[in-house]
Coordinates of all heavy atoms in Angstrom, one line a residue:
M1 N 0.9 -1.2 0.0 CA 0.0 0.0 0.0 C 0.9 1.2 0.0 O 1.8 1.4 0.8 CB -0.9 0.0 1.3 CG -1.8 1.2 1.4 SD -2.9 1.2 2.8 CE -3.6 -0.4 2.8
D2 N 0.7 2.1 -1.0 CA 1.5 3.3 -1.0 C 1.0 4.4 -0.1 O -0.1 4.2 0.6 CB 1.6 3.9 -2.4 CG 0.4 4.4 -3.0 OD1 -0.6 4.7 -2.3 OD2 0.3 4.7 -4.2
R3 N 1.7 5.5 0.0 CA 1.3 6.6 1.0 C -0.1 7.1 0.8 O -0.8 7.3 1.7 CB 2.4 7.7 0.8 CG 2.2 8.9 1.8 CD 3.1 10.0 1.4 NE 2.8 10.6 0.1 CZ 3.6 10.6 -0.9 NH1 4.8 10.2 -0.8 NH2 3.2 11.1 -2.1
K4 N -0.4 7.4 -0.5 CA -1.7 8.0 -0.8 C -2.8 7.0 -0.4 O -3.9 7.4 0.2 CB -1.8 8.3 -2.2 CG -3.0 9.1 -2.6 CD -2.9 9.6 -4.0 CE -4.1 10.4 -4.5 NZ -3.9 10.9 -5.8
Q5 N -2.7 5.7 -0.7 CA -3.6 4.7 -0.3 C -3.8 4.6 1.2 O -4.9 4.4 1.7 CB -3.3 3.3 -0.9 CG -3.4 3.3 -2.4 CD -2.8 2.0 -3.0 OE1 -1.8 1.5 -2.5 NE2 -3.5 1.4 -4.0
Y6 N -2.7 4.7 1.9 CA -2.7 4.7 3.3 C -3.5 5.8 3.9 O -4.3 5.7 4.8 CB -1.3 4.7 3.9 CG -1.2 4.3 5.4 CD1 -1.3 3.0 5.8 CD2 -1.1 5.3 6.3 CE1 -1.3 2.6 7.1 CE2 -1.1 4.9 7.7 CZ -1.2 3.6 8.0 OH -1.2 3.3 9.4
I7 N -3.2 7.0 3.4 CA -4.0 8.2 3.8 C -5.5 8.1 3.5 O -6.4 8.4 4.3 CB -3.4 9.5 3.2 CG1 -2.0 9.7 3.7 CG2 -4.3 10.7 3.6 CD1 -1.2 10.8 3.0
Q8 N -5.8 7.5 2.3 CA -7.1 7.3 1.9 C -7.8 6.4 2.9 O -8.9 6.6 3.3 CB -7.2 6.7 0.5 CG -8.6 6.3 0.1 CD -8.6 5.8 -1.4 OE1 -7.9 6.2 -2.2 NE2 -9.5 4.8 -1.6
R9 N -7.1 5.3 3.3 CA -7.7 4.4 4.3 C -7.9 5.1 5.6 O -9.0 4.8 6.3 CB -6.8 3.2 4.5 CG -7.4 2.2 5.5 CD -6.6 1.0 5.7 NE -7.1 0.0 4.8 CZ -6.6 -1.1 4.5 NH1 -5.4 -1.4 5.0 NH2 -7.2 -2.0 3.8
L10 N -7.0 6.0 6.1 CA -7.2 6.7 7.3 C -8.5 7.5 7.2 O -9.3 7.6 8.1 CB -6.0 7.7 7.6 CG -4.8 7.1 8.1 CD1 -3.7 8.2 8.2 CD2 -5.0 6.5 9.5
I11 N -8.7 8.2 6.1 CA -9.9 9.0 5.9 C -11.1 8.2 5.9 O -12.1 8.5 6.5 CB -9.8 9.9 4.6 CG1 -8.7 10.9 4.7 CG2 -11.1 10.5 4.3 CD1 -8.3 11.6 3.4
E12 N -11.1 7.1 5.1 CA -12.3 6.2 5.1 C -12.6 5.6 6.4 O -13.8 5.6 6.8 CB -12.0 5.1 4.1 CG -12.0 5.5 2.6 CD -11.6 4.4 1.6 OE1 -10.9 3.4 2.0 OE2 -12.0 4.6 0.5
D13 N -11.6 5.2 7.2 CA -11.9 4.6 8.5 C -12.4 5.7 9.5 O -13.3 5.4 10.3 CB -10.6 3.9 9.0 CG -10.3 2.7 8.3 OD1 -11.1 2.2 7.5 OD2 -9.1 2.2 8.5
Q14 N -11.8 6.8 9.4 CA -12.2 7.9 10.4 C -13.6 8.5 10.1 O -14.3 8.7 11.1 CB -11.1 9.0 10.4 CG -11.5 10.1 11.5 CD -10.3 11.1 11.6 OE1 -9.2 10.8 11.4 NE2 -10.7 12.2 12.1
F15 N -13.9 8.7 8.9 CA -15.1 9.4 8.5 C -16.2 8.4 7.9 O -17.3 8.9 7.5 CB -14.8 10.5 7.5 CG -13.9 11.5 8.1 CD1 -12.6 11.6 7.6 CD2 -14.3 12.4 9.1 CE1 -11.7 12.5 8.2 CE2 -13.4 13.3 9.7 CZ -12.1 13.4 9.2
L16 N -15.9 7.1 7.9 CA -16.9 6.1 7.5 C -17.4 6.4 6.1 O -18.6 6.5 5.8 CB -18.0 6.0 8.5 CG -17.6 5.6 9.9 CD1 -18.8 5.6 10.8 CD2 -16.8 4.3 10.0
V17 N -16.5 6.7 5.2 CA -16.8 7.0 3.8 C -15.9 6.1 2.9 O -15.0 5.4 3.4 CB -16.5 8.4 3.4 CG1 -17.4 9.4 4.2 CG2 -15.1 8.8 3.5
E18 N -16.3 6.0 1.6 CA -15.5 5.3 0.6 C -15.2 6.2 -0.6 O -16.1 6.9 -1.0 CB -16.2 4.0 0.1 CG -16.3 2.9 1.2 CD -16.8 1.6 0.6 OE1 -16.7 1.4 -0.6 OE2 -17.4 0.9 1.4
F19 N -14.0 6.2 -1.0 CA -13.7 6.9 -2.2 C -14.2 6.1 -3.4 O -13.9 4.9 -3.5 CB -12.1 7.1 -2.3 CG -11.7 8.2 -1.4 CD1 -11.4 8.0 -0.1 CD2 -11.5 9.5 -1.9 CE1 -11.0 9.0 0.8 CE2 -11.1 10.6 -1.1 CZ -10.9 10.3 0.3
D20 N -14.9 6.8 -4.3 CA -15.5 6.1 -5.4 C -15.7 7.2 -6.5 O -15.0 8.2 -6.5 CB -16.8 5.4 -5.1 CG -17.8 6.4 -4.4 OD1 -17.7 7.6 -4.6 OD2 -18.8 5.9 -3.8
G21 N -16.7 7.0 -7.4 CA -16.9 8.0 -8.5 C -17.3 9.3 -8.0 O -17.0 10.3 -8.6
E22 N -18.0 9.4 -6.9 CA -18.5 10.7 -6.4 C -17.5 11.3 -5.4 O -17.3 12.5 -5.4 CB -19.8 10.5 -5.6 CG -21.0 10.2 -6.5 CD -22.3 10.1 -5.8 OE1 -22.5 10.8 -4.8 OE2 -23.1 9.3 -6.3
L23 N -16.8 10.5 -4.6 CA -15.8 11.0 -3.7 C -14.4 10.6 -4.2 O -14.1 9.4 -4.2 CB -16.0 10.4 -2.3 CG -15.1 10.9 -1.2 CD1 -15.4 12.4 -0.9 CD2 -15.4 10.1 0.1
T24 N -13.7 11.6 -4.8 CA -12.4 11.3 -5.4 C -11.3 12.0 -4.6 O -11.5 12.7 -3.6 CB -12.4 11.9 -6.8 OG1 -12.4 13.3 -6.7 CG2 -13.6 11.4 -7.7
A25 N -10.1 11.8 -5.0 CA -8.9 12.3 -4.4 C -8.9 13.9 -4.4 O -8.3 14.5 -3.5 CB -7.6 11.8 -5.0
E26 N -9.6 14.5 -5.3 CA -9.7 15.9 -5.4 C -10.9 16.5 -4.7 O -11.0 17.8 -4.6 CB -9.7 16.3 -6.9 CG -8.4 16.0 -7.7 CD -8.3 14.6 -8.1 OE1 -9.4 13.9 -8.3 OE2 -7.2 14.0 -8.3
T27 N -11.8 15.7 -4.3 CA -13.0 16.2 -3.6 C -12.7 17.0 -2.4 O -11.9 16.6 -1.5 CB -13.9 15.0 -3.2 OG1 -14.3 14.3 -4.4 CG2 -15.2 15.5 -2.5
D28 N -13.3 18.2 -2.2 CA -13.2 19.0 -1.0 C -14.0 18.3 0.1 O -15.2 18.2 0.1 CB -13.7 20.4 -1.2 CG -13.5 21.3 -0.1 OD1 -13.7 20.9 1.1 OD2 -13.0 22.4 -0.3
L29 N -13.3 17.7 1.1 CA -14.0 17.0 2.1 C -14.8 17.8 3.1 O -15.7 17.3 3.8 CB -12.9 16.2 2.9 CG -12.1 15.2 2.1 CD1 -11.0 14.6 2.9 CD2 -13.0 14.1 1.5
F30 N -14.5 19.1 3.2 CA -15.3 20.0 4.0 C -16.6 20.4 3.3 O -17.7 20.3 3.9 CB -14.5 21.4 4.2 CG -13.4 21.2 5.3 CD1 -12.1 21.2 4.9 CD2 -13.7 21.2 6.6 CE1 -11.1 21.1 5.8 CE2 -12.7 21.0 7.6 CZ -11.4 21.0 7.2
K31 N -16.5 20.7 2.0 CA -17.7 21.1 1.2 C -18.7 20.0 1.1 O -19.9 20.3 1.0 CB -17.3 21.7 -0.1 CG -16.7 23.0 -0.1 CD -16.3 23.6 -1.5 CE -15.7 24.9 -1.4 NZ -15.3 25.5 -2.7
T32 N -18.2 18.8 1.0 CA -19.1 17.6 0.9 C -19.7 17.2 2.2 O -20.5 16.3 2.3 CB -18.4 16.5 0.2 OG1 -17.3 16.1 1.0 CG2 -18.1 16.8 -1.2
G33 N -19.2 17.8 3.3 CA -19.7 17.4 4.6 C -19.1 16.2 5.2 O -19.5 15.7 6.3
V34 N -18.0 15.6 4.6 CA -17.3 14.4 5.1 C -16.6 14.8 6.3 O -16.6 14.1 7.3 CB -16.4 13.9 4.0 CG1 -15.5 12.8 4.6 CG2 -17.1 13.3 2.8
M35 N -16.0 16.0 6.3 CA -15.1 16.4 7.4 C -15.4 17.8 8.0 O -15.8 18.6 7.2 CB -13.6 16.4 6.9 CG -12.5 16.7 7.8 SD -10.9 16.3 7.2 CE -10.7 17.4 5.8
D36 N -15.4 17.9 9.3 CA -15.6 19.2 9.9 C -14.3 19.6 10.6 O -13.3 18.9 10.5 CB -16.7 19.2 10.9 CG -16.6 18.2 12.0 OD1 -15.5 17.7 12.2 OD2 -17.6 18.0 12.7
S37 N -14.2 20.7 11.3 CA -13.0 21.2 11.8 C -12.4 20.2 12.9 O -11.2 20.0 13.0 CB -13.1 22.6 12.4 OG -14.1 22.6 13.4
F38 N -13.3 19.6 13.7 CA -12.9 18.7 14.7 C -12.3 17.4 14.0 O -11.2 16.9 14.4 CB -14.0 18.3 15.6 CG -13.6 17.4 16.7 CD1 -12.8 17.8 17.8 CD2 -14.1 16.0 16.7 CE1 -12.4 16.9 18.8 CE2 -13.7 15.2 17.7 CZ -12.9 15.6 18.8
G39 N -12.9 16.9 13.0 CA -12.4 15.8 12.2 C -11.1 16.1 11.6 O -10.2 15.2 11.5
Y40 N -10.9 17.3 11.1 CA -9.7 17.7 10.5 C -8.5 17.7 11.5 O -7.5 17.1 11.1 CB -9.9 19.2 10.0 CG -8.6 19.8 9.3 CD1 -8.2 19.3 8.1 CD2 -7.9 20.8 9.9 CE1 -7.1 19.8 7.4 CE2 -6.8 21.3 9.3 CZ -6.4 20.8 8.0 OH -5.3 21.4 7.4
I41 N -8.8 18.1 12.7 CA -7.7 18.1 13.7 C -7.4 16.6 14.0 O -6.2 16.2 14.1 CB -8.2 18.8 15.0 CG1 -8.3 20.3 14.7 CG2 -7.2 18.5 16.2 CD1 -9.0 21.1 15.8
Q42 N -8.4 15.8 14.1 CA -8.2 14.4 14.4 C -7.4 13.7 13.2 O -6.5 12.9 13.5 CB -9.5 13.6 14.6 CG -10.2 14.0 15.9 CD -11.5 13.2 16.0 OE1 -12.2 13.0 15.0 NE2 -11.7 12.7 17.2
L43 N -7.7 14.0 12.0 CA -7.0 13.5 10.9 C -5.6 13.9 10.8 O -4.7 13.1 10.6 CB -7.7 13.9 9.6 CG -7.1 13.3 8.3 CD1 -7.1 11.8 8.3 CD2 -7.8 13.9 7.1
L44 N -5.3 15.2 11.0 CA -3.9 15.6 11.0 C -3.1 15.0 12.1 O -1.9 14.7 12.0 CB -3.8 17.1 11.0 CG -4.1 17.8 9.7 CD1 -3.8 19.3 9.7 CD2 -3.4 17.2 8.5
T45 N -3.7 14.8 13.3 CA -3.1 14.2 14.4 C -2.7 12.7 14.0 O -1.6 12.3 14.3 CB -4.0 14.2 15.7 OG1 -4.2 15.6 16.0 CG2 -3.3 13.5 16.8
A46 N -3.6 12.0 13.4 CA -3.4 10.7 12.9 C -2.3 10.6 11.9 O -1.4 9.8 11.9 CB -4.7 10.0 12.4
V47 N -2.3 11.6 11.0 CA -1.2 11.7 9.9 C 0.1 11.9 10.6 O 1.1 11.3 10.3 CB -1.6 12.8 8.9 CG1 -0.4 13.1 8.0 CG2 -2.7 12.3 8.0
E48 N 0.2 12.8 11.6 CA 1.4 13.1 12.3 C 1.9 11.8 12.9 O 3.1 11.5 12.8 CB 1.2 14.1 13.4 CG 1.2 15.5 13.0 CD 1.1 16.5 14.2 OE1 0.2 16.3 15.0 OE2 2.0 17.3 14.3
R49 N 1.1 11.1 13.6 CA 1.4 9.9 14.3 C 1.9 8.8 13.4 O 2.9 8.2 13.5 CB 0.3 9.4 15.2 CG 0.5 8.2 16.0 CD -0.7 7.7 16.8 NE -1.8 7.4 15.9 CZ -2.9 8.1 15.9 NH1 -3.1 9.1 16.6 NH2 -3.9 7.7 15.0
E50 N 1.1 8.5 12.3 CA 1.4 7.4 11.4 C 2.6 7.6 10.6 O 3.3 6.7 10.2 CB 0.2 7.2 10.5 CG -1.1 6.8 11.2 CD -1.0 5.4 11.9 OE1 -0.3 4.5 11.4 OE2 -1.6 5.3 13.0
F51 N 2.9 8.9 10.3 CA 4.1 9.2 9.4 C 5.3 9.8 10.2 O 6.3 10.2 9.6 CB 3.7 10.1 8.2 CG 2.8 9.4 7.2 CD1 1.4 9.6 7.3 CD2 3.3 8.6 6.3 CE1 0.6 8.9 6.4 CE2 2.5 7.9 5.3 CZ 1.1 8.1 5.4
S52 N 5.1 9.8 11.5 CA 6.2 10.4 12.4 C 6.6 11.8 11.9 O 7.7 12.1 11.7 CB 7.4 9.5 12.4 OG 7.1 8.2 12.9
L53 N 5.6 12.7 11.8 CA 5.8 14.0 11.3 C 5.4 15.0 12.4 O 4.7 14.7 13.3 CB 4.9 14.3 10.1 CG 5.1 13.5 8.9 CD1 4.0 13.9 7.9 CD2 6.4 13.7 8.3
Q54 N 6.0 16.2 12.3 CA 5.6 17.3 13.2 C 5.0 18.4 12.3 O 5.6 18.9 11.4 CB 6.9 17.9 13.8 CG 7.5 17.0 14.9 CD 6.6 17.1 16.2 OE1 5.9 16.1 16.4 NE2 6.7 18.1 16.9
V55 N 3.7 18.7 12.6 CA 3.0 19.8 11.9 C 3.0 21.0 12.8 O 2.5 20.9 13.9 CB 1.6 19.4 11.5 CG1 0.8 20.5 10.8 CG2 1.6 18.1 10.7
T56 N 3.6 22.1 12.4 CA 3.7 23.3 13.2 C 2.3 23.9 13.2 O 1.5 23.7 12.3 CB 4.7 24.3 12.6 OG1 4.2 24.8 11.3 CG2 6.1 23.6 12.5
D57 N 2.1 24.8 14.2 CA 0.9 25.5 14.3 C 0.6 26.4 13.1 O -0.5 26.5 12.6 CB 0.9 26.4 15.6 CG 0.8 25.6 16.9 OD1 0.4 24.4 16.8 OD2 1.1 26.2 17.9
E58 N 1.7 27.0 12.6 CA 1.6 27.8 11.4 C 1.2 27.0 10.2 O 0.3 27.4 9.5 CB 3.0 28.5 11.1 CG 2.9 29.4 9.9 CD 4.3 30.0 9.6 OE1 5.1 30.1 10.4 OE2 4.4 30.4 8.4
E59 N 1.7 25.8 10.0 CA 1.3 25.0 8.9 C -0.1 24.6 9.1 O -0.9 24.5 8.1 CB 2.2 23.7 8.8 CG 3.6 24.0 8.4 CD 4.5 22.7 8.5 OE1 4.3 22.0 9.5 OE2 5.3 22.6 7.6
F60 N -0.5 24.3 10.3 CA -1.8 23.8 10.6 C -2.9 24.9 10.3 O -3.9 24.6 9.7 CB -1.9 23.4 12.0 CG -3.2 22.7 12.4 CD1 -3.5 21.5 12.1 CD2 -4.1 23.5 13.2 CE1 -4.7 20.9 12.4 CE2 -5.3 22.9 13.6 CZ -5.6 21.6 13.2
L61 N -2.6 26.1 10.6 CA -3.5 27.2 10.5 C -3.5 27.8 9.1 O -4.5 28.3 8.6 CB -3.3 28.2 11.6 CG -3.5 27.8 13.0 CD1 -3.1 28.8 14.0 CD2 -5.0 27.4 13.2
R62 N -2.3 27.9 8.5 CA -2.1 28.6 7.2 C -2.6 27.7 6.1 O -3.1 28.2 5.1 CB -0.6 28.9 7.1 CG -0.3 29.6 5.8 CD 1.2 29.8 5.7 NE 1.9 28.5 6.0 CZ 3.1 28.2 5.6 NH1 3.8 29.0 4.9 NH2 3.6 27.0 5.9
N63 N -2.4 26.4 6.1 CA -2.8 25.5 5.0 C -3.9 24.6 5.5 O -3.8 23.9 6.4 CB -1.6 24.7 4.7 CG -0.4 25.5 4.3 OD1 -0.4 26.3 3.5 ND2 0.7 25.2 5.0
I64 N -5.0 24.8 4.8 CA -6.2 23.9 5.1 C -6.2 22.8 4.0 O -6.4 23.1 2.8 CB -7.5 24.6 5.2 CG1 -7.5 25.7 6.2 CG2 -8.6 23.6 5.5 CD1 -7.2 25.3 7.7
F65 N -5.9 21.6 4.4 CA -5.8 20.5 3.4 C -7.1 19.9 3.3 O -7.5 19.1 4.2 CB -4.7 19.5 3.8 CG -3.4 20.2 4.2 CD1 -3.0 20.4 5.5 CD2 -2.6 20.8 3.1 CE1 -1.8 21.1 5.7 CE2 -1.4 21.4 3.4 CZ -1.0 21.6 4.7
S66 N -7.9 20.2 2.3 CA -9.3 19.8 2.3 C -9.6 18.6 1.4 O -10.7 18.1 1.3 CB -10.1 21.0 1.8 OG -9.7 21.3 0.5
S67 N -8.5 18.0 0.7 CA -8.8 16.8 -0.1 C -7.7 15.8 0.1 O -6.6 16.1 0.7 CB -8.8 17.2 -1.6 OG -7.5 17.6 -2.0
L68 N -7.9 14.6 -0.3 CA -6.9 13.5 -0.2 C -5.7 13.9 -0.9 O -4.6 13.8 -0.4 CB -7.5 12.2 -0.7 CG -6.5 11.1 -0.9 CD1 -5.8 10.7 0.4 CD2 -7.2 9.9 -1.5
E69 N -5.8 14.5 -2.1 CA -4.7 15.0 -2.9 C -3.9 16.0 -2.2 O -2.6 15.9 -2.2 CB -5.2 15.5 -4.3 CG -4.1 15.8 -5.3 CD -3.6 14.5 -5.9 OE1 -4.3 13.5 -6.1 OE2 -2.4 14.4 -6.1
A70 N -4.5 17.0 -1.6 CA -3.8 18.0 -0.8 C -3.1 17.5 0.4 O -1.9 17.8 0.7 CB -4.7 19.1 -0.4
I71 N -3.7 16.6 1.1 CA -3.1 15.9 2.3 C -1.9 15.1 1.9 O -0.9 15.2 2.5 CB -4.2 15.1 3.1 CG1 -5.3 16.0 3.6 CG2 -3.5 14.3 4.2 CD1 -6.5 15.3 4.1
D72 N -2.1 14.3 0.8 CA -0.9 13.5 0.3 C 0.2 14.4 -0.1 O 1.4 14.1 0.2 CB -1.4 12.6 -0.8 CG -0.3 11.7 -1.3 OD1 0.3 11.0 -0.5 OD2 0.0 11.8 -2.5
A73 N 0.0 15.5 -0.8 CA 1.1 16.4 -1.2 C 1.8 17.0 0.0 O 3.0 17.1 0.0 CB 0.5 17.5 -2.1
F74 N 1.0 17.4 1.0 CA 1.6 17.9 2.2 C 2.5 16.9 2.9 O 3.6 17.2 3.3 CB 0.5 18.4 3.2 CG 1.0 18.8 4.5 CD1 1.7 20.0 4.7 CD2 0.7 18.0 5.6 CE1 2.1 20.4 5.9 CE2 1.2 18.4 6.9 CZ 1.9 19.6 7.0
V75 N 2.0 15.6 3.1 CA 2.7 14.6 3.7 C 4.0 14.3 2.9 O 5.1 14.2 3.5 CB 1.9 13.3 3.9 CG1 2.8 12.1 4.3 CG2 0.8 13.5 4.9
A76 N 3.9 14.3 1.6 CA 5.1 14.0 0.7 C 6.2 15.1 1.0 O 7.3 14.8 1.2 CB 4.7 14.0 -0.7
N77 N 5.7 16.4 1.1 CA 6.7 17.5 1.4 C 7.3 17.4 2.7 O 8.5 17.6 2.9 CB 6.0 18.8 1.2 CG 5.7 19.2 -0.3 OD1 6.4 18.7 -1.2 ND2 4.8 20.0 -0.5
K78 N 6.4 17.1 3.7 CA 6.9 16.9 5.1 C 7.9 15.8 5.2 O 9.0 15.9 5.9 CB 5.8 16.7 6.1 CG 4.9 17.9 6.3 CD 5.7 19.1 6.9 CE 5.9 18.9 8.4 NZ 6.6 20.1 9.0
L79 N 7.7 14.7 4.6 CA 8.6 13.5 4.6 C 9.9 13.9 3.9 O 11.0 13.5 4.4 CB 8.0 12.3 3.9 CG 6.8 11.6 4.6 CD1 6.1 10.6 3.8 CD2 7.3 11.0 6.0
A80 N 9.8 14.6 2.8 CA 11.0 15.1 2.1 C 11.9 16.0 3.0 O 13.1 15.9 3.1 CB 10.7 15.7 0.8
E81 N 11.2 16.9 3.7 CA 11.9 17.8 4.6 C 12.6 17.0 5.7 O 13.7 17.3 6.0 CB 10.9 18.8 5.2 CG 10.5 19.9 4.3 CD 9.4 20.8 4.9 OE1 9.2 20.7 6.1 OE2 8.8 21.6 4.2
R82 N 11.8 16.1 6.3 CA 12.3 15.3 7.4 C 13.5 14.5 7.0 O 14.5 14.3 7.7 CB 11.2 14.4 7.9 CG 11.6 13.6 9.1 CD 10.6 12.5 9.5 NE 10.7 11.5 8.5 CZ 9.9 10.5 8.3 NH1 8.8 10.4 9.1 NH2 10.1 9.6 7.4
D83 N 13.4 13.9 5.8 CA 14.5 13.0 5.3 C 15.6 13.7 4.6 O 16.5 13.1 4.0 CB 13.9 11.9 4.4 CG 12.9 11.1 5.2 OD1 12.9 11.0 6.4 OD2 12.0 10.4 4.5
G84 N 15.5 15.1 4.5 CA 16.5 15.9 3.9 C 16.5 15.9 2.4 O 17.5 16.2 1.7
H85 N 15.4 15.6 1.7 CA 15.3 15.7 0.3 C 14.4 16.8 -0.1 O 13.6 17.3 0.7 CB 14.6 14.4 -0.3 CG 15.3 13.1 0.1 ND1 14.9 12.3 1.0 CD2 16.5 12.7 -0.3 CE1 15.7 11.3 1.1 NE2 16.7 11.5 0.3
S86 N 14.6 17.3 -1.3 CA 13.7 18.4 -1.8 C 13.1 18.0 -3.1 O 13.5 18.3 -4.1 CB 14.5 19.7 -2.0 OG 13.7 20.7 -2.4
D87 N 12.0 17.2 -2.9 CA 11.3 16.8 -4.1 C 9.9 17.5 -4.3 O 9.0 17.0 -4.9 CB 11.1 15.3 -4.1 CG 10.1 14.8 -3.0 OD1 9.6 15.6 -2.2 OD2 9.8 13.6 -3.0
R88 N 9.8 18.7 -3.8 CA 8.6 19.5 -3.9 C 8.1 19.7 -5.4 O 7.0 19.8 -5.6 CB 8.8 20.8 -3.3 CG 8.9 20.7 -1.8 CD 9.1 22.1 -1.2 NE 9.4 21.9 0.2 CZ 9.1 22.7 1.2 NH1 8.6 23.9 0.8 NH2 9.4 22.5 2.4
D89 N 9.1 19.7 -6.3 CA 8.7 19.9 -7.7 C 8.5 18.6 -8.4 O 8.1 18.6 -9.6 CB 9.8 20.7 -8.4 CG 9.9 22.1 -7.9 OD1 8.9 22.7 -7.4 OD2 11.1 22.6 -7.8
D90 N 8.7 17.5 -7.8 CA 8.5 16.2 -8.4 C 7.0 15.8 -8.2 O 6.6 15.5 -7.1 CB 9.4 15.2 -7.7 CG 9.3 13.8 -8.3 OD1 8.7 13.7 -9.4 OD2 9.7 12.9 -7.7
H91 N 6.3 15.7 -9.3 CA 4.9 15.3 -9.2 C 4.7 14.0 -9.9 O 3.6 13.6 -10.3 CB 4.0 16.4 -9.9 CG 4.1 17.7 -9.3 ND1 3.7 18.0 -8.0 CD2 4.7 18.9 -9.8 CE1 3.9 19.3 -7.8 NE2 4.6 19.8 -8.8
S92 N 5.8 13.2 -10.0 CA 5.7 11.9 -10.7 C 4.9 10.9 -10.0 O 4.4 10.0 -10.6 CB 7.1 11.4 -10.9 OG 7.7 11.1 -9.6
D93 N 4.6 11.1 -8.7 CA 3.8 10.1 -7.9 C 2.3 10.4 -8.0 O 1.5 9.7 -7.5 CB 4.3 10.0 -6.5 CG 4.0 11.3 -5.7 OD1 4.0 12.4 -6.3 OD2 3.9 11.2 -4.5
R94 N 2.0 11.5 -8.7 CA 0.5 11.9 -8.8 C -0.1 11.1 -9.9 O 0.5 10.8 -10.9 CB 0.4 13.4 -9.1 CG 0.7 14.2 -7.9 CD 0.3 15.6 -8.2 NE 0.5 16.4 -7.0 CZ 0.3 17.7 -6.9 NH1 -0.1 18.3 -8.0 NH2 0.6 18.3 -5.8
D95 N -1.3 10.7 -9.7 CA -2.1 10.0 -10.6 C -3.1 10.9 -11.2 O -4.1 11.2 -10.5 CB -2.7 8.8 -9.9 CG -3.5 7.8 -10.9 OD1 -3.3 8.0 -12.1 OD2 -4.2 6.9 -10.4
D96 N -2.9 11.4 -12.4 CA -3.8 12.4 -13.0 C -4.9 11.9 -13.9 O -5.5 12.6 -14.7 CB -2.9 13.4 -13.8 CG -2.0 14.2 -12.9 OD1 -2.4 14.5 -11.8 OD2 -0.9 14.5 -13.4
H97 N -5.3 10.6 -13.8 CA -6.4 10.2 -14.6 C -7.7 10.0 -13.9 O -8.0 10.3 -12.9 CB -6.1 8.9 -15.4 CG -5.5 7.8 -14.7 ND1 -4.7 7.9 -13.6 CD2 -5.4 6.5 -15.0 CE1 -4.3 6.7 -13.2 NE2 -4.7 5.9 -14.1

């Protein structure tokens, strides 16, 4: 299971939803009612724990990650920072179909 699939599973398990034709990686989880502010905090806490990341207050408040795609991109950047790589411009792991 890759990183994006793992995050998808976290979202599905936490919010009791399934990604399908209507709920996609680009879907705004706030606008569709899947996630509220409390759920967002819980999700980011789970992401921090599962990926051994530190999300700063500034990152938490400045960037609202409202879709699976946005959360995955954020985690990818944080992992790269943590591991000393700079692959922010590398979008080769995105699935654009």
